[in-house]
Amino acid sequence: AGNKKESRGALVVLEGLDRSGKSSQCSRLVSFLEEQGISAELWRFPDRTTNVGQMISSYLTNTSQLDDHTIHLLFSANRWEKRSLMEAKLKTGKTLIVDRYSYSGVAFSSAKGLDIEWCKAPEIGLLAPDVVVYLDISPEKAAERGGYGGERYEKLEFQKKVADFYKVLHDVSWKVVDACQPMEDVEKQLQGIVLDCVTECWKGKLLSTLWS
Ligand code: Z5A
Ligand code: MG
């Protein structure tokens, strides 16, 4: 096994439709890793705490209107402003559990009708996740979970389009987990996937960049 102290942490991303359980699973995962003695941190995008993040937040709550291209670039800028910190943390051995990332960015904007290649372009050069766990649920089942709030994208027809674009983005770094299982079962599967991924990183797996 690799030397924990000298090895980097893993970049783990959770993706999935609204109400697929990303935020619940991300926090459980961080607690689990900490219990295992693996240093981990919870991250989320959008990061609403920055200036850019506040613009995104008022757009999502319909407090402000923005052109589709403009908001796309703001979401991307919100990841870019965190890139160097992300890299530094990974290099000091922290594993980052990230709630949504570039795949949300591309899937949501493409679902509005923007060209998918145009949507991917500003994400090029961001750190590539070591693993993307896709919490798989149909838009109908997700809507039944209730709690669709007033935010802009929380509509069934739109979520169906988002699901189609997620399918297009699926690549070798993806692991698909059935998000309709009981929460504890999803949790167990995630733990296995993430422990394997952390081990790979300790053994020297190199960081790479999107999209590869
Ligand atoms: N967006 C974008 O357009 N471009 C970008 O680049 C990025 C994002 C990064 C805000 O995201 C919006 O921004 C989002 C995408 C867009 N669109 N919308 N709408 P957000 O991350 O802030 O969204 P959120 O408000 O945190 O919610 P969410 O992500 O939609 O939900 P979730 O995190 O996947 O689910 P949850 O909160 O963990 O669980 C939802 C409910 O289901 C809750 O009551 C749970 O108790 C229940 N649940 C969870 N798992 C289960 C299981 N297994 N069984 C039964 N019930 C469950
Ligand atoms: Mg969430």
Short mmCIF file of all heavy atoms in Angstrom, two decimals, residues 17-24 44-46 48 60 75 79 100-101 104-105 108 145 151 153-154 179 181-183 186, ligand 1:
data_model
loop_
_atom_site.label_atom_id
_atom_site.label_comp_id
_atom_site.label_asym_id
_atom_site.label_seq_id
_atom_site.Cartn_x
_atom_site.Cartn_y
_atom_site.Cartn_z
N LEU A 17 -29.76 13.68 -10.96
CA LEU A 17 -30.88 14.62 -11.04
C LEU A 17 -31.19 15.21 -9.68
O LEU A 17 -30.76 14.67 -8.65
CB LEU A 17 -32.13 13.88 -11.54
CG LEU A 17 -32.09 13.35 -12.96
CD1 LEU A 17 -33.43 12.70 -13.28
CD2 LEU A 17 -31.79 14.47 -13.96
N ASP A 18 -31.98 16.26 -9.68
CA ASP A 18 -32.46 16.84 -8.43
C ASP A 18 -33.19 15.76 -7.64
O ASP A 18 -33.95 14.98 -8.22
CB ASP A 18 -33.45 17.97 -8.74
CG ASP A 18 -32.74 19.20 -9.28
OD1 ASP A 18 -31.61 19.05 -9.79
OD2 ASP A 18 -33.31 20.30 -9.20
N ARG A 19 -32.95 15.72 -6.35
CA ARG A 19 -33.58 14.78 -5.43
C ARG A 19 -33.06 13.36 -5.57
O ARG A 19 -33.67 12.44 -5.05
CB ARG A 19 -35.13 14.74 -5.59
CG ARG A 19 -35.81 16.08 -5.42
CD ARG A 19 -35.65 16.61 -4.02
NE ARG A 19 -36.12 17.99 -3.93
CZ ARG A 19 -35.30 19.04 -4.01
NH1 ARG A 19 -34.01 18.87 -4.20
NH2 ARG A 19 -35.77 20.26 -3.91
N SER A 20 -31.94 13.18 -6.27
CA SER A 20 -31.39 11.82 -6.38
C SER A 20 -30.69 11.41 -5.09
O SER A 20 -30.37 10.24 -4.91
CB SER A 20 -30.44 11.73 -7.58
OG SER A 20 -29.43 12.70 -7.49
N GLY A 21 -30.41 12.37 -4.22
CA GLY A 21 -29.81 12.03 -2.92
C GLY A 21 -28.35 12.43 -2.78
O GLY A 21 -27.68 12.01 -1.85
N LYS A 22 -27.87 13.28 -3.69
CA LYS A 22 -26.45 13.66 -3.67
C LYS A 22 -26.01 14.27 -2.34
O LYS A 22 -25.02 13.84 -1.76
CB LYS A 22 -26.16 14.67 -4.80
CG LYS A 22 -26.41 14.16 -6.19
CD LYS A 22 -26.19 15.23 -7.23
CE LYS A 22 -27.12 16.42 -7.10
NZ LYS A 22 -28.56 16.11 -7.21
N SER A 23 -26.74 15.29 -1.90
CA SER A 23 -26.29 16.00 -0.70
C SER A 23 -26.32 15.10 0.53
O SER A 23 -25.39 15.12 1.35
CB SER A 23 -27.13 17.26 -0.47
OG SER A 23 -27.00 18.13 -1.58
N SER A 24 -27.38 14.28 0.65
CA SER A 24 -27.47 13.34 1.78
C SER A 24 -26.27 12.39 1.75
O SER A 24 -25.61 12.17 2.77
CB SER A 24 -28.74 12.49 1.70
OG SER A 24 -29.86 13.26 1.40
N ARG A 44 -19.16 21.63 -2.56
CA ARG A 44 -20.34 21.61 -3.41
C ARG A 44 -20.28 22.74 -4.43
O ARG A 44 -19.71 23.79 -4.19
CB ARG A 44 -21.61 21.75 -2.57
CG ARG A 44 -21.66 23.00 -1.70
CD ARG A 44 -23.08 23.43 -1.39
NE ARG A 44 -23.92 22.28 -1.10
CZ ARG A 44 -25.25 22.29 -1.17
NH1 ARG A 44 -25.86 23.39 -1.52
NH2 ARG A 44 -25.95 21.22 -0.87
N PHE A 45 -20.86 22.45 -5.59
CA PHE A 45 -21.04 23.50 -6.61
C PHE A 45 -22.51 23.57 -6.97
O PHE A 45 -23.16 22.53 -7.11
CB PHE A 45 -20.18 23.20 -7.84
CG PHE A 45 -18.71 23.38 -7.58
CD1 PHE A 45 -17.88 22.28 -7.45
CD2 PHE A 45 -18.18 24.65 -7.43
CE1 PHE A 45 -16.53 22.45 -7.17
CE2 PHE A 45 -16.82 24.82 -7.15
CZ PHE A 45 -16.00 23.71 -7.03
N PRO A 46 -23.09 24.78 -7.13
CA PRO A 46 -22.38 26.03 -6.96
C PRO A 46 -21.95 26.26 -5.51
O PRO A 46 -22.65 25.86 -4.59
CB PRO A 46 -23.42 27.07 -7.38
CG PRO A 46 -24.74 26.42 -7.14
CD PRO A 46 -24.51 24.98 -7.42
N ARG A 48 -22.02 28.89 -3.18
CA ARG A 48 -22.77 30.15 -3.12
C ARG A 48 -22.13 31.19 -2.22
O ARG A 48 -22.65 32.29 -2.08
CB ARG A 48 -24.23 29.87 -2.69
CG ARG A 48 -24.95 28.87 -3.62
CD ARG A 48 -26.45 28.76 -3.34
NE ARG A 48 -27.05 27.60 -3.99
CZ ARG A 48 -28.30 27.53 -4.44
NH1 ARG A 48 -29.11 28.56 -4.32
NH2 ARG A 48 -28.75 26.43 -5.00
N LEU A 60 -30.74 31.38 -9.43
CA LEU A 60 -31.47 30.13 -9.17
C LEU A 60 -32.77 30.36 -8.41
O LEU A 60 -33.74 29.65 -8.61
CB LEU A 60 -30.58 29.15 -8.40
CG LEU A 60 -29.45 28.49 -9.20
CD1 LEU A 60 -28.52 27.71 -8.29
CD2 LEU A 60 -30.02 27.59 -10.30
N PHE A 75 -21.30 29.70 -13.71
CA PHE A 75 -21.15 28.40 -13.04
C PHE A 75 -19.72 27.88 -13.24
O PHE A 75 -19.10 27.34 -12.32
CB PHE A 75 -22.14 27.37 -13.60
CG PHE A 75 -23.48 27.34 -12.93
CD1 PHE A 75 -24.64 27.71 -13.61
CD2 PHE A 75 -23.61 26.91 -11.61
CE1 PHE A 75 -25.89 27.65 -13.00
CE2 PHE A 75 -24.87 26.83 -10.98
CZ PHE A 75 -26.00 27.21 -11.69
N ARG A 79 -16.31 27.30 -10.57
CA ARG A 79 -15.39 26.17 -10.40
C ARG A 79 -13.94 26.62 -10.57
O ARG A 79 -13.06 26.22 -9.82
CB ARG A 79 -15.73 25.05 -11.39
CG ARG A 79 -16.96 24.25 -10.98
CD ARG A 79 -17.27 23.12 -11.93
NE ARG A 79 -17.97 23.53 -13.14
CZ ARG A 79 -19.27 23.78 -13.21
NH1 ARG A 79 -20.04 23.65 -12.15
NH2 ARG A 79 -19.84 24.15 -14.36
N ARG A 100 -21.99 17.82 -7.05
CA ARG A 100 -22.13 18.43 -8.39
C ARG A 100 -20.81 19.06 -8.86
O ARG A 100 -20.05 19.62 -8.08
CB ARG A 100 -23.20 19.52 -8.43
CG ARG A 100 -24.63 19.05 -8.23
CD ARG A 100 -25.57 20.23 -8.57
NE ARG A 100 -26.95 19.96 -8.24
CZ ARG A 100 -27.80 19.33 -9.04
NH1 ARG A 100 -27.39 18.86 -10.21
NH2 ARG A 100 -29.05 19.15 -8.69
N TYR A 101 -20.63 19.00 -10.22
CA TYR A 101 -19.40 19.55 -10.82
C TYR A 101 -19.70 19.89 -12.28
O TYR A 101 -20.86 20.21 -12.60
CB TYR A 101 -18.30 18.49 -10.66
CG TYR A 101 -16.87 18.96 -10.84
CD1 TYR A 101 -16.34 19.99 -10.08
CD2 TYR A 101 -16.04 18.34 -11.78
CE1 TYR A 101 -15.02 20.40 -10.24
CE2 TYR A 101 -14.71 18.72 -11.94
CZ TYR A 101 -14.20 19.75 -11.17
OH TYR A 101 -12.89 20.14 -11.33
N SER A 104 -22.91 18.65 -14.14
CA SER A 104 -24.14 19.42 -13.91
C SER A 104 -24.14 20.64 -14.81
O SER A 104 -25.15 20.98 -15.43
CB SER A 104 -24.24 19.90 -12.46
OG SER A 104 -24.60 18.86 -11.58
N GLY A 105 -22.99 21.29 -14.86
CA GLY A 105 -22.87 22.51 -15.67
C GLY A 105 -23.27 22.26 -17.11
O GLY A 105 -24.08 23.00 -17.68
N PHE A 108 -27.18 20.77 -17.52
CA PHE A 108 -28.26 21.75 -17.34
C PHE A 108 -28.29 22.77 -18.48
O PHE A 108 -29.36 23.09 -18.99
CB PHE A 108 -28.15 22.45 -15.98
CG PHE A 108 -28.77 21.64 -14.87
CD1 PHE A 108 -28.08 20.58 -14.30
CD2 PHE A 108 -30.05 21.91 -14.41
CE1 PHE A 108 -28.65 19.81 -13.30
CE2 PHE A 108 -30.63 21.14 -13.40
CZ PHE A 108 -29.92 20.09 -12.85
N ARG A 145 -40.32 12.31 -4.73
CA ARG A 145 -39.69 12.53 -3.43
C ARG A 145 -40.12 13.84 -2.81
O ARG A 145 -39.88 14.09 -1.64
CB ARG A 145 -38.16 12.47 -3.55
CG ARG A 145 -37.69 11.05 -3.68
CD ARG A 145 -36.21 10.88 -3.51
NE ARG A 145 -35.91 9.46 -3.62
CZ ARG A 145 -34.72 8.95 -3.87
NH1 ARG A 145 -33.69 9.75 -4.03
NH2 ARG A 145 -34.56 7.65 -3.95
N GLU A 151 -37.00 26.62 -6.91
CA GLU A 151 -35.86 26.99 -7.74
C GLU A 151 -36.13 26.68 -9.21
O GLU A 151 -36.89 25.80 -9.57
CB GLU A 151 -34.57 26.33 -7.23
CG GLU A 151 -34.06 27.03 -5.98
CD GLU A 151 -32.55 26.94 -5.76
OE1 GLU A 151 -31.93 26.00 -6.27
OE2 GLU A 151 -32.02 27.83 -5.08
N TYR A 153 -34.93 25.27 -11.91
CA TYR A 153 -34.88 24.07 -12.75
C TYR A 153 -35.72 22.93 -12.22
O TYR A 153 -35.68 21.83 -12.75
CB TYR A 153 -33.43 23.60 -12.87
CG TYR A 153 -32.50 24.59 -13.51
CD1 TYR A 153 -31.22 24.80 -13.00
CD2 TYR A 153 -32.89 25.32 -14.63
CE1 TYR A 153 -30.34 25.70 -13.58
CE2 TYR A 153 -32.02 26.23 -15.21
CZ TYR A 153 -30.75 26.42 -14.68
OH TYR A 153 -29.89 27.30 -15.25
N GLU A 154 -36.48 23.14 -11.18
CA GLU A 154 -37.16 22.03 -10.52
C GLU A 154 -38.52 21.75 -11.18
O GLU A 154 -39.57 21.87 -10.55
CB GLU A 154 -37.26 22.31 -9.02
CG GLU A 154 -35.87 22.43 -8.40
CD GLU A 154 -35.86 22.75 -6.91
OE1 GLU A 154 -36.86 23.27 -6.41
OE2 GLU A 154 -34.83 22.49 -6.27
N ALA A 179 -30.20 4.87 -7.37
CA ALA A 179 -30.54 5.80 -6.29
C ALA A 179 -31.93 5.54 -5.71
O ALA A 179 -32.36 6.23 -4.79
CB ALA A 179 -30.46 7.24 -6.80
N GLN A 181 -32.72 2.67 -4.31
CA GLN A 181 -32.55 1.76 -3.17
C GLN A 181 -32.71 2.55 -1.88
O GLN A 181 -32.56 3.76 -1.86
CB GLN A 181 -31.15 1.15 -3.19
CG GLN A 181 -30.73 0.48 -4.48
CD GLN A 181 -29.26 0.08 -4.42
OE1 GLN A 181 -28.93 -0.98 -3.94
NE2 GLN A 181 -28.40 0.96 -4.88
N PRO A 182 -32.93 1.81 -0.77
CA PRO A 182 -32.93 2.50 0.52
C PRO A 182 -31.60 3.25 0.73
O PRO A 182 -30.56 2.80 0.23
CB PRO A 182 -33.06 1.37 1.53
CG PRO A 182 -33.68 0.24 0.77
CD PRO A 182 -33.22 0.39 -0.65
N MET A 183 -31.67 4.35 1.43
CA MET A 183 -30.50 5.21 1.62
C MET A 183 -29.27 4.44 2.12
O MET A 183 -28.15 4.70 1.69
CB MET A 183 -30.84 6.31 2.60
CG MET A 183 -30.62 7.70 2.03
SD MET A 183 -30.86 8.96 3.27
CE MET A 183 -32.29 9.77 2.62
N VAL A 186 -27.57 2.51 -0.76
CA VAL A 186 -26.82 3.43 -1.63
C VAL A 186 -25.51 3.78 -0.92
O VAL A 186 -24.43 3.76 -1.53
CB VAL A 186 -27.64 4.72 -1.90
CG1 VAL A 186 -26.83 5.72 -2.72
CG2 VAL A 186 -28.95 4.39 -2.60
N1 Z5A B 1 -26.44 23.75 -11.70
C1 Z5A B 1 -26.19 24.23 -12.99
O1 Z5A B 1 -27.10 24.57 -13.72
N2 Z5A B 1 -24.90 24.31 -13.42
C2 Z5A B 1 -23.84 23.95 -12.65
O2 Z5A B 1 -22.68 24.05 -13.08
C3 Z5A B 1 -24.12 23.44 -11.33
C4 Z5A B 1 -25.43 23.36 -10.90
C5 Z5A B 1 -22.99 23.03 -10.44
C6 Z5A B 1 -28.68 24.02 -7.71
O3 Z5A B 1 -28.12 22.81 -7.29
C7 Z5A B 1 -28.99 23.99 -9.19
O4 Z5A B 1 -27.85 24.42 -9.95
C8 Z5A B 1 -29.29 22.62 -9.71
C9 Z5A B 1 -28.32 22.37 -10.83
C10 Z5A B 1 -27.82 23.71 -11.19
N3 Z5A B 1 -30.58 22.62 -10.32
N4 Z5A B 1 -31.63 22.60 -9.83
N5 Z5A B 1 -32.67 22.68 -9.41
P1 Z5A B 1 -28.15 22.30 -5.82
O5 Z5A B 1 -27.08 21.29 -5.73
O6 Z5A B 1 -28.10 23.47 -4.89
O7 Z5A B 1 -29.57 21.56 -5.65
P2 Z5A B 1 -30.15 21.10 -4.21
O8 Z5A B 1 -31.16 22.08 -3.83
O9 Z5A B 1 -29.05 20.75 -3.27
O10 Z5A B 1 -30.94 19.78 -4.34
P3 Z5A B 1 -30.67 18.55 -5.18
O11 Z5A B 1 -29.23 18.49 -5.53
O12 Z5A B 1 -31.61 18.64 -6.25
O13 Z5A B 1 -31.02 17.27 -4.30
P4 Z5A B 1 -30.00 16.09 -3.85
O14 Z5A B 1 -28.88 16.70 -3.14
O15 Z5A B 1 -29.69 15.22 -4.98
O16 Z5A B 1 -30.89 15.24 -2.87
P5 Z5A B 1 -31.00 15.28 -1.26
O17 Z5A B 1 -31.18 16.69 -0.85
O18 Z5A B 1 -29.92 14.48 -0.65
O19 Z5A B 1 -32.33 14.46 -1.09
C11 Z5A B 1 -33.57 14.93 -1.61
C12 Z5A B 1 -34.75 14.28 -0.83
O20 Z5A B 1 -34.82 12.87 -1.12
C13 Z5A B 1 -34.60 14.38 0.69
O21 Z5A B 1 -35.87 14.55 1.23
C14 Z5A B 1 -34.02 13.03 1.07
O22 Z5A B 1 -34.34 12.67 2.37
C15 Z5A B 1 -34.69 12.11 0.06
N6 Z5A B 1 -33.86 10.93 -0.28
C16 Z5A B 1 -32.52 10.90 -0.55
N7 Z5A B 1 -32.11 9.64 -0.82
C17 Z5A B 1 -33.19 8.85 -0.71
C18 Z5A B 1 -33.40 7.44 -0.87
N8 Z5A B 1 -32.40 6.61 -1.20
N9 Z5A B 1 -34.64 6.98 -0.70
C19 Z5A B 1 -35.67 7.82 -0.38
N10 Z5A B 1 -35.55 9.14 -0.21
C20 Z5A B 1 -34.32 9.66 -0.37
#
